[in-house]
Amino acid sequence: MLLAIDCGNTNTVFSIWDGESFIATWRTSTEWQRTADQYYVWLSTLMGVQKLDVTIDEVIISSTVPRVVFNLRVLSDRYFNCRPLVVGKPDCLLEQPPRVDAGTAVGPDRIVNAAGAFDRHGGNLIVVDFGTATTFDVVETDGAYVGGVIAPGVNLSLEALHNAAAALPHVDITMPQRVVGTNTVACMQSGVFWGYIGLVREICARIKAERDTPMKVIATGGLAPLFQQASNLFDVFEEDLTMHGLTVIHKYNKENT
């Protein structure tokens, strides 16, 4: 069985892949201080709760938080007796390496999203990922990541408003009933919600114009369905795109090493 681990700035997702589908997925907060032993106790407890009697013998990791990778490597070595494949490291092969400026480090999450999206939808894609940051990844016709855009994440923007302006409360993002708010919370929700609708639409339109070719827009991340309610921003929503991309990269490495 393969254990796929996607470590983001806010949350870390663990999924078990049986070769055809994910049989279990769990999410925890990302904390670089968490030890391999703590990860194993948490993971084995959840497996026990779901009565999963499986043997994990392969691990693949994508992490945007470098300090977390060490303990995840130890988890793999100590408890699953295998060397993990870490996206972005030299020994992790990619079917199409990123084509970006020399010396540029591409986030593993963006590489994985590109691989997953290309496997399911082919090339000429814009992948919009609503995470801690809102990222736009451009996937070429052959599946290569060729650049993109990074904008502040939705929740990050709300936190910045709350922290920088003493009179503004913390609010949850939701689709407002009207554009013009009649109280502080409604005003903030409208500004963030419709602001991000405009941000996504404009950036995607400019990418398509710059590349002068039809492109499919793929959305992933927890807030994507919320924004799709208001406007036909995306062609497809993929809930498990990143985890799927990890299985694609893992399969390619098994077949080519």
Side-chain angles (χ1 to χ4, degrees), residues 12-231:
T12 301
V13 179
F14 293 73
S15 290
I16 297 178
W17 174 257
D18 68 0
E20 296 182 358
S21 63
F22 289 109
I23 61 173
T25 296
W26 304 286
R27 184 182 300 267
T28 185
S29 58
T30 298
E31 297 176 5
W32 67 266
Q33 304 96 328
R34 189 170 294 167
T35 66
D37 301 328
Q38 289 174 312
Y39 277 121
Y40 182 72
V41 169
W42 172 80
L43 191 60
S44 60
T45 300
L46 289 171
M47 291 173 67
V49 168
Q50 294 189 215
K51 296 180 172 57
L52 289 176
D53 185 17
V54 298
T55 299
I56 294 171
D57 53 11
E58 296 176 298
V59 178
I60 183 169
I61 301 167
S62 168
S63 178
T64 58
V65 186
R67 297 177 77 179
V68 174
V69 174
F70 173 77
N71 283 319
L72 292 176
R73 281 185 179 275
V74 175
L75 169 70
S76 180
D77 291 336
R78 181 179 298 168
Y79 291 105
F80 304 129
N81 195 32
C82 67
R83 178 183 175 86
L85 187 64
V86 181
V87 179
K89 298 300 182 181
D91 61 342
C92 180
L93 304 178
L94 300 174
E95 187 169 358
Q96 294 294 339
R99 292 200 287 272
V100 294
D101 294 344
T104 299
V106 180
D109 55 330
R110 310 185 81 174
I111 294 172
V112 172
N113 281 348
F118 180 72
D119 183 67
R120 286 180 170 171
H121 304 284
N124 274 341
L125 306 175
I126 302 171
V127 181
V128 185
D129 189 352
F130 291 89
T132 304
T134 300
T135 58
F136 300 74
D137 302 325
V138 178
V139 183
E140 188 55 274
T141 54
D142 61 355
Y145 169 86
V146 293
V149 177
I150 301 175
V154 178
N155 289 317
L156 194 63
S157 296
L158 283 169
E159 284 294 328
L161 276 174
H162 171 62
N163 292 332
L168 297 181
H170 175 79
V171 301
D172 293 324
I173 184 65
T174 187
M175 180 178 175
Q177 295 182 344
R178 300 192 304 171
V179 176
V180 179
T182 54
N183 58 68
T184 302
V185 170
C187 290
M188 292 174 66
Q189 289 176 333
S190 182
V192 171
F193 183 85
W194 293 112
Y196 271 84
I197 291 287
L199 180 146
V200 172
R201 180 183 291 115
E202 181 67 14
I203 289 178
C204 287
R206 288 184 175 271
I207 290 173
K208 292 176 182 178
E210 185 171 280
R211 293 177 60 81
D212 192 26
T213 186
M215 303 182 74
K216 182 180 289 187
V217 180
I218 313 298
T220 191
L223 291 176
L226 172 66
F227 289 103
Q228 185 73 339
Q229 291 179 35
S231 180

